[in-house]
Amino acid sequence: MGPRPPHRGVPHPRARTIWYAVLLVALAVGSWGLYNRVFGGLATTDLTSTMPWGAWVAFYIYFVGLSAGAFLVSSLIYVFGMHQFERIGRAALLSAIVSMGVALCFIGADLGRMERAPITMIFFHWTSPLSWEVRFYVLYIALLVTELVIAIRVQRRLVRSVERAHRWMRILGTIGVPLAIFGVHGGTGTIFAVVKARAMWFGGLFPVIFVVSAMVSGTALLIAVHYWQARGAGRRPDRVLIRNLSTVLLAAVLIDLGLTFYEFVVPLLAFEHHDQNIITLQAFGPYAWTFWIIQMGMGMIIPAAIILSPLKKRTGAIVAAAMICVVGIVGVRFNIVVPPLIPPVIEGYPTGDYYPTLNEWLLSMFFIAGGALVYSLVSEWQPIHEPDPDDHAALAADRGEVPSVATAHTEKEALS
């Protein structure tokens, strides 16, 4: 063990001041939405008995997806040994923890009686996906925190055996991969997939779509986080890392695009009129702009086109594609939640109609800004973004050099 490496993740004073000022303003403005929700209840939203779910549930599954996707990227490092991504390992774990916390805030706000949320840990039913999901979340968060603590201790050289610490991280990551795929985000998709009364939810493909789009959003988020954190700290972003992550992002986007194709073409070819009604709403109804512009355009087509084009040689273009993709997946989640609730379940029942109120947007801003603030403070308190002292590849990238991944990894093993 050696001395703690110098802290290199604190942003420049000006960038730091601007960033925290923006977050504090967002929290101050959004706190009005929190006040209205606590004292005004769900009457401050556009939710009704016909439309019981809305923007908060969409953001809930969005941030669960960010968490699962970020964790799966970390598993490429700690489980599958893809050391070219090692520099963002701790950032991926912290992103997964914070995103999960934000997701739980959103679903808590959506509950009619928020104070009754802990009861879900007391009562359990074997056939309820929600009962299983609550317990999966607890295990998942505990695993993430444990793995992050070990990763930080390794980086700060506070462990007696680096090899033993890495072995524990591999074990935890190996447990976490099926937990994230089948329990956390796949399980969240199962909550929707077992609802027989709602077309476009009921089906076995739905949990798979959730997992793949989680990988899309999680990878895109980590590209953006690494780039802007490095720029804010006055460091050169790791161009090789960003390009490697863009390859993962492209693969996930193309798979997601293929699954979306089958999600729509199967009910159309089967002439399933309930599904066709919802597809028509998504493509030509009042939310068509969220489908074509945000979901398909920003979430899939534009990022894929940028990464496949010669623009991939420019780091800024890749980061722009990632940021566009992060926003686009919000549209995916919105279209999962809202359009299937609009057609009446029984003929003669009222048709649903929903658009988020100002209070829903304000509270959403409060939760998102709060998550960003927590992430920023922890990043300054702990070495989340700093390269390991013996990580020659990361240090060389800061100097503008690009050593081979194999050489860097060989050097790191020798120093360990």
Side-chain angles (χ1 to χ4, degrees):
M1 292 187 297
R4 179 184 175 185
H7 190 71
R8 307 176 64 222
V10 178
H12 283 180
R14 182 179 179 185
R16 184 174 183 268
T17 301
I18 294 174
W19 173 243
Y20 283 114
V22 170
L23 292 182
L24 291 176
V25 169
L27 285 170
V29 175
S31 63
W32 180 247
L34 178 64
Y35 174 84
N36 289 333
R37 168 61 188 90
V38 171
F39 295 100
L42 295 179
T44 60
T45 71
D46 197 29
L47 301 176
T48 63
S49 58
T50 305
M51 296 291 299
W53 290 350
W56 291 340
V57 172
F59 276 121
Y60 153 65
I61 61 175
Y62 171 75
F63 278 98
V64 170
L66 281 182
S67 177
F71 171 75
L72 291 175
V73 172
S74 77
S75 70
L76 297 178
I77 307 162
Y78 302 123
V79 178
F80 300 103
M82 300 178 70
H83 297 282
Q84 61 266 41
F85 301 122
E86 192 157 3
R87 193 171 183 180
I88 49 95
R90 294 181 300 277
L93 291 172
L94 180 59
S95 298
I97 294 170
V98 173
S99 295
M100 199 66 204
V102 175
L104 294 178
C105 288
F106 273 111
I107 199 60
D110 188 76
L111 297 176
R113 295 291 298 272
M114 293 185 289
E115 71 278 6
R116 294 183 178 179
I119 296 177
T120 57
M121 292 299 301
I122 300 174
F123 298 102
F124 177 77
H125 198 286
W126 288 95
T127 63
S128 169
L130 188 58
S131 290
W132 284 102
E133 195 68 1
V134 171
R135 285 148 184 84
F136 282 141
Y137 285 171
V138 173
L139 292 174
Y140 175 69
I141 294 172
L143 184 145
L144 286 176
V145 172
T146 304
E147 193 169 351
L148 179 60
V149 169
I150 296 175
I152 290 174
R153 288 178 62 84
V154 170
Q155 201 280 338
R156 298 176 67 176
R157 297 189 174 187
L158 297 176
V159 295
R160 294 185 177 181
S161 172
V162 174
E163 182 181 353
R164 183 181 179 184
H166 284 167
R167 184 168 62 250
W168 271 110
M169 292 179 68
R170 189 178 303 113
I171 293 172
L172 291 172
T174 302
I175 297 172
V177 168
L179 181 62
I181 293 176
F182 301 108
V184 177
H185 207 50
T188 304
T190 304
I191 295 174
F192 288 79
V194 298
V195 182
K196 295 182 180 180
R198 295 294 178 181
M200 298 299 291
W201 285 356
F202 181 60
L205 185 62
F206 213 66
V208 179
I209 295 173
F210 266 59
V211 173
V212 173
S213 59
M215 195 68 184
V216 172
S217 59
T219 306
L221 175 68
L222 291 175
I223 291 174
V225 166
H226 170 74
Y227 178 83
W228 287 112
Q229 198 283 331
R231 289 290 300 271
R235 297 201 310 261
R236 186 190 301 271
D238 190 333
R239 292 170 294 180
V240 176
L241 172 65
I242 290 176
R243 289 177 185 174
N244 288 335
L245 283 173
S246 72
T247 302
V248 177
L249 176 60
L250 176 62
V253 168
L254 293 179
I255 295 172
D256 197 19
L257 192 59
L259 290 175
T260 302
F261 170 77
Y262 281 111
E263 181 188 13
F264 283 83
V265 75
V266 169
L268 289 175
L269 294 178
F271 298 99
E272 175 54 55
H273 70 279
H274 293 293
D275 289 334
Q276 288 178 342
N277 288 340
I278 296 172
I279 292 174
T280 301
L281 278 172
Q282 288 183 331
F284 307 106
Y287 307 108
W289 62 276
T290 66
F291 177 76
W292 292 111
I293 298 176
I294 301 181
Q295 176 175 336
M296 298 303 299
M298 300 177 67
M300 301 180 190
I301 296 173
I302 295 176
I306 292 175
I307 298 174
L308 286 170
S309 73
L311 290 172
K312 183 182 179 180
K313 298 178 181 179
R314 301 177 58 182
T315 302
I318 296 176
V319 175
M323 295 175 66
I324 291 170
C325 193
V326 168
V327 176
I329 299 299
V330 175
V332 175
R333 304 314 190 197
F334 181 86
N335 284 312
I336 283 175
V337 173
V338 175
L341 291 172
I342 293 178
V345 177
I346 299 175
E347 187 176 352
Y349 274 35
T351 300
D353 183 26
Y354 171 80
Y355 195 84
T357 64
L358 176 61
N359 200 69
E360 290 176 77
W361 288 118
L362 288 176
L363 186 56
S364 299
M365 181 172 64
F366 180 85
F367 287 150
I368 295 171
L373 180 62
V374 170
Y375 183 95
S376 301
L377 293 175
V378 174
S379 295
E380 292 196 29
W381 174 44
Q382 296 292 337
I384 299 299
H385 293 276
E386 294 87 334
D388 292 338
D390 53 354
D391 189 350
H392 286 205
L395 295 173
D398 276 346
R399 296 192 297 265
E401 303 169 8
V402 186
S404 68
V405 172
T407 301
H409 183 47
T410 302
E411 292 177 348
K412 182 171 182 177
E413 286 183 337
L415 289 170
S416 298

